[in-house]
Amino acid sequence: MRNLINSALALFGVAAVTSGSDVHDLKKDTFEPFMEKHDLVLAESLAPEYEEAAKTLKEKNIPLIKVDCTEETELCQSYGVEGYPTVKVFRGKDDHAPYMGARKAQAIVSYMIKLSMPAVSIIDEASLDEFKAAESVVLVAFIDPSDKASNETLTSVANSLREKYIFGAIHDKKAATAQGVKQPAIVLYKQFDEGKNVFDEKFDKEKIESFIKSAAIPLVGEVGPETYADYIASGLPLAYIFAETEDERSQLADELRPVAEKYKGAVNFATIDAKAFGAHAGNLNLETDNFPAFAIQETVKNQKFPYDQSKKITAKDISDFVEGVVEGTIKPSVKSEPVPESQDGPVHVVVAHNYEEIVMDNDKDVLLEYYAPWCGHCKALAPKYEELAALYFNSPDLSKKVTVAKVDATANDVPDEIAGFPTIKLFPAGSKESPIEYSGSRTIEDLANFIKENGKHQVEAPMVGEDDVEMPDADSMGKQAPAASKKVKDAAEAATDSAASAKDRATDSAASVKDKATDSAASAKDRATDSAASVKDKATDAASSVKSKATEGAGSVKDKVVDKAASAASQATKAVKDKSASVGTATEAVKESGASAKGKAADKSASAKGKVKSGASDASQKVKDTATDATKSASSASKGVKEAVKSKISQGAEAVKSAVTDGDDMEDLEHDEL
């Protein structure tokens, strides 16, 4: 009767599958071959619900699989898994989509069976009763097989709603007569309320879908994890009846049933367990410790209409209240934080009372992050989001076209239903009614590309690369020492006024580089012997310290970079002077002003020319060229200095940049997002 299609479900999670499990535990080398053998697969870790569903679906040849993302990191990333558990439905290895059902065994089984069946199953009168019992809601079309237009419309509707409902078709005209309908017609059979509803108008996709959404929902249902999504998807306002006991919910449902009948098709009514889900009352601007309670949520605009909790819930009063909401005479309740007095930072702060002003500004492309203060992913994203915003905020031209903003969706009513945090949406200029939700990697570059590709203005963010840095020559580096450090900062985002401030620029704090680059600091001493001027040194409490030791001929470089040193170069050369008399004269020349340094260097050597690849250690090249009296002893030191300069403050500086810029944030992302 059903002609089940071979199918499977895949789960990306963290926990291991128990011995003897019906859930397939896949690795990178077994994932692709398995997918090639199955048309439909679901992936996630919901034990024991997942295990229970796997046992039932095994009989129908619908496998459930599981991938441990802590071990199979590359595999999970290749399928866009950013958090877990993540559930995906696979139809082969290349065709996959998010699982949209509830995460309960019964819901998983129902969802997968629907997907495994044809969009429309051809049945007969004899199998009708069995088909009707398959789900709490099923749809059967009584239709002539020669009616091409009606059959095509039915198939289109079934394909769009196949994840929620089972569709069947009976071609026998006598069967239609037995059910009290004429071809073509659709009967929605349900295991509640009046038992069935009939659609007997001309087949039109939108009208049929509207009929189904209204008829498939109980007159007075119950809101829970399994039903909430259906109520939201219906597009109708939802009236919540909060009560703490089952008896009280039943009594209130019976009392308000006439009201629900009166507004059927305009407002959905449902009870909700106040003991289990009382916190949701707060989302509707109700008190969370005063039940029973009543509220209406306009699901499309996410508006809230709380009923006065000091009043008793009666059919008459609730009927008047619902009428006021439907007719617009009762205004929605708006929860909002205070409007900021000014927007001083790169990221604009949105609250409910300035949402229209900022987000709906029709002249700008607005990227909006919906976050929650307790959300770990949101905290990990915050510093990157600030950097992204600064790319536009710091440009007078770009700031007129792009706004990067955020809103605490737990403290402000927003006109969007948010399913998880963080949720990021772009509201393009001129198309505010059609925001685009972001689903890519949360990197600065990817977010900037998202704005460029989907925004009306197609603004390209001024991303700065290391190749953009223009380095001074040896003759002018004395004068350019402070400016060179700034250039390194602009290009590498690693330094501000000196090599020591690379750490400060990257972490936005005065935290010690010692804490951020322990591994680099631990090996700094050894590297100093080879490179004499390595900047990848151990940092002390409030200031970076360049600490290295040269070989016996060159001595060792040891100096502490103070918080407000104008440049690491002058301090480094001073250290060389203190530790090595053989290079003392050359070092002193670098420490002095640009003009003086150039003059003294000229006396020592006519060949003190060369290109410097980084500004922070600009004086190092002269050590080699001018120390003619200590050529052999200083060669390894000056060579190390030269290499350090060419690699932008040595490999150590890159380690400082990498560790400080990405250190803590990357650690958080690895734990929170994968």
Side-chain angles (χ1 to χ4, degrees):
M1 177 186 71
R2 297 187 183 177
N3 302 319
L4 293 181
I5 299 172
N6 192 23
S7 57
L9 185 68
L11 166 95
F12 295 94
V14 293
V17 180
T18 58
S19 177
S21 170
D22 290 309
V23 178
H24 300 268
D25 191 6
L26 300 186
K27 307 293 183 183
K28 181 179 180 181
D29 56 345
T30 59
F31 188 88
E32 187 168 321
F34 186 91
M35 290 299 174
E36 292 176 349
K37 295 180 180 180
H38 298 86
D39 296 326
L40 185 62
V41 183
L42 178 66
E44 212 253 1
S45 172
L46 304 172
E49 300 291 341
Y50 205 65
E51 294 284 349
E52 183 180 340
K55 292 179 181 178
T56 303
L57 292 173
K58 181 180 180 181
E59 300 174 358
K60 301 184 181 298
N61 195 29
I62 303 177
L64 269 63
I65 71 166
K66 179 183 173 76
V67 178
D68 186 345
C69 289
T70 61
E71 295 183 359
E72 302 298 328
T73 305
E74 183 178 346
L75 175 62
C76 292
Q77 288 179 340
S78 69
Y79 284 100
V81 178
E82 295 187 347
Y84 38 69
T86 292
V87 192
K88 288 181 177 289
V89 178
F90 284 81
R91 295 180 180 274
K93 66 183 182 68
D94 298 322
D95 184 4
H96 56 89
Y99 167 75
M100 303 303 293
R103 297 185 179 185
K104 296 291 183 180
Q106 183 178 355
I108 293 172
V109 171
S110 174
Y111 187 95
M112 294 306 295
I113 288 178
K114 293 186 184 88
L115 290 185
S116 70
M117 297 174 63
V120 179
S121 299
I122 305 303
I123 61 176
D124 54 30
E125 189 175 8
S127 60
L128 177 59
D129 287 341
E130 180 186 355
F131 190 82
K132 287 161 54 177
E135 291 281 337
S136 62
V137 174
V138 300
L139 293 111
V140 178
F142 295 87
I143 188 170
D144 191 311
S146 64
D147 186 348
K148 183 178 179 180
S150 296
N151 276 284
E152 288 180 349
T153 301
L154 174 65
T155 301
S156 177
V157 172
N159 277 322
S160 66
L161 299 176
R162 65 182 302 170
E163 296 176 353
K164 296 181 179 179
Y165 307 110
I166 294 176
F167 287 80
I170 296 179
H171 295 150
D172 187 355
K173 188 175 182 179
K174 292 181 179 180
T177 302
Q179 294 296 313
V181 298
K182 294 181 179 181
Q183 294 178 334
I186 297 176
V187 179
L188 184 147
Y189 295 97
K190 54 189 179 183
Q191 298 173 9
F192 50 84
D193 293 345
E194 64 268 50
K196 72 177 184 179
N197 298 97
V198 178
F199 180 87
D200 54 9
E201 302 177 29
K202 182 180 178 180
F203 276 24
D204 175 83
K205 187 174 186 292
E206 290 185 2
K207 288 183 178 180
I208 294 174
E209 289 179 346
S210 177
F211 158 76
I212 294 172
K213 288 181 179 181
S214 175
I217 295 178
L219 189 60
V220 180
E222 182 174 4
V223 175
E226 296 82 9
T227 61
Y228 180 76
D230 290 336
Y231 279 114
I232 298 301
S234 74
L236 296 178
L238 176 58
Y240 293 85
I241 306 168
F242 284 88
E244 295 182 316
T245 68
E246 186 174 350
D247 288 344
E248 192 173 29
R249 289 193 295 276
S250 178
Q251 181 265 323
L252 287 171
D254 290 341
E255 182 172 354
L256 298 181
R257 192 173 299 276
V259 183
E261 182 70 42
K262 178 180 178 181
Y263 291 99
K264 183 175 176 60
V267 178
N268 288 325
F269 281 70
T271 62
I272 181 170
D273 186 345
K275 282 188 176 179
F277 308 111
H280 187 58
N283 296 331
L284 302 170
N285 299 346
L286 288 169
E287 298 173 7
T288 58
D289 58 355
N290 186 7
F291 299 111
F294 184 88
I296 296 177
Q297 178 186 12
E298 209 292 336
T299 58
V300 176
K301 298 180 180 179
N302 198 27
Q303 295 175 331
K304 291 81 178 280
F305 301 85
Y307 179 73
D308 189 346
Q309 288 173 275
S310 66
K311 295 182 179 180
K312 184 178 180 179
I313 295 176
T314 66
K316 183 183 183 307
D317 289 343
I318 293 299
S319 180
D320 292 341
F321 180 77
V322 175
E323 181 180 7
V325 172
V326 171
E327 294 184 354
T329 59
I330 294 179
K331 301 302 179 183
S333 167
V334 179
K335 177 173 63 176
S336 178
E337 294 179 293
V339 176
E341 294 183 2
S342 61
Q343 299 284 359
D344 299 323
V347 178
H348 280 56
V349 177
V350 173
V351 298
H353 290 321
N354 69 1
Y355 186 94
E356 288 288 328
E357 175 189 349
I358 296 177
V359 180
M360 307 310 285
D361 183 346
N362 222 25
D363 294 328
K364 288 187 176 184
D365 295 328
V366 180
L367 188 72
L368 181 63
E369 176 201 3
Y370 301 85
Y371 74 94
W374 42 260
C375 168
H377 295 308
C378 304
K379 294 177 182 177
L381 174 64
K384 297 179 183 296
Y385 203 66
E386 287 280 342
E387 290 186 48
L388 172 72
L391 298 177
Y392 308 96
F393 182 78
N394 293 333
S395 167
D397 180 49
L398 300 187
S399 63
K400 296 177 182 178
K401 300 177 180 178
V402 176
T403 294
V404 177
K406 65 180 181 180
V407 59
D408 181 352
T410 67
N412 297 277
D413 287 337
V414 293
D416 301 284
E417 185 67 23
I418 305 303
F421 300 107
T423 291
I424 301 174
K425 294 185 179 183
L426 178 68
F427 293 78
S431 302
K432 298 298 180 176
E433 71 285 354
S434 303
I436 305 167
E437 186 166 344
Y438 180 71
S439 59
S441 300
R442 299 181 191 129
T443 66
I444 298 174
E445 182 178 359
D446 286 342
L447 285 165
N449 287 336
F450 176 70
I451 294 173
K452 176 185 175 182
E453 294 171 2
N454 296 282
K456 176 183 178 180
H457 300 299
Q458 298 184 329
V459 172
E460 184 166 1
M463 307 294 289
V464 181
E466 292 186 3
D467 293 339
D468 297 329
V469 181
E470 180 179 348
M471 293 299 172
D473 57 30
D475 287 335
S476 61
M477 62 185 173
K479 294 181 179 180
Q480 296 181 359
S485 292
K486 182 178 183 300
K487 290 175 182 177
V488 174
K489 172 202 71 177
D490 294 338
E493 299 179 2
T496 53
D497 296 324
S498 66
S501 68
K503 170 262 307 180
D504 298 327
R505 170 67 180 84
T507 59
D508 295 322
S509 68
S512 170
V513 176
K514 177 180 178 181
D515 296 331
K516 306 293 182 183
T518 303
D519 292 341
S520 298
S523 61
K525 179 178 179 181
D526 294 334
R527 290 196 300 274
T529 303
D530 299 324
S531 62
S534 171
V535 185
K536 188 179 181 182
D537 301 324
K538 183 184 298 183
T540 58
D541 292 330
S544 300
S545 174
V546 179
K547 182 178 180 181
S548 61
K549 292 186 177 181
T551 56
E552 293 182 0
S556 62
V557 179
K558 181 179 182 182
D559 186 33
K560 185 174 185 180
V561 181
V562 296
D563 289 335
K564 298 186 177 180
S567 71
S570 62
Q571 298 299 324
T573 52
K574 182 177 182 302
V576 174
K577 175 183 176 182
D578 293 341
K579 294 299 181 178
S580 175
S582 62
V583 294
T585 304
T587 309
E588 183 62 23
V590 177
K591 178 184 177 186
E592 295 177 355
S593 64
S596 176
K598 179 179 176 182
K600 290 186 179 182
D603 293 338
K604 292 293 182 179
S605 174
S607 62
K609 298 280 187 177
K611 291 293 182 180
V612 180
K613 303 298 181 183
S614 165
S617 295
D618 49 23
S620 302
Q621 182 62 37
K622 286 192 175 184
V623 175
K624 177 181 177 183
D625 295 333
T626 58
T628 55
D629 293 335
T631 301
K632 292 182 180 181
S633 61
S635 63
S636 63
S638 57
K639 179 181 179 180
V641 172
K642 179 179 180 181
E643 292 175 352
V645 172
K646 286 185 176 181
S647 62
K648 294 185 180 71
I649 321 175
S650 99
Q651 298 175 358
E654 293 219 9
V656 170
K657 172 193 169 189
S658 176
V660 175
T661 303
D662 299 325
D664 284 353
D665 290 343
M666 282 302 298
E667 183 177 358
D668 289 342
L669 289 173
E670 290 171 4
H671 286 81
D672 289 345
E673 290 193 340
L674 297 182

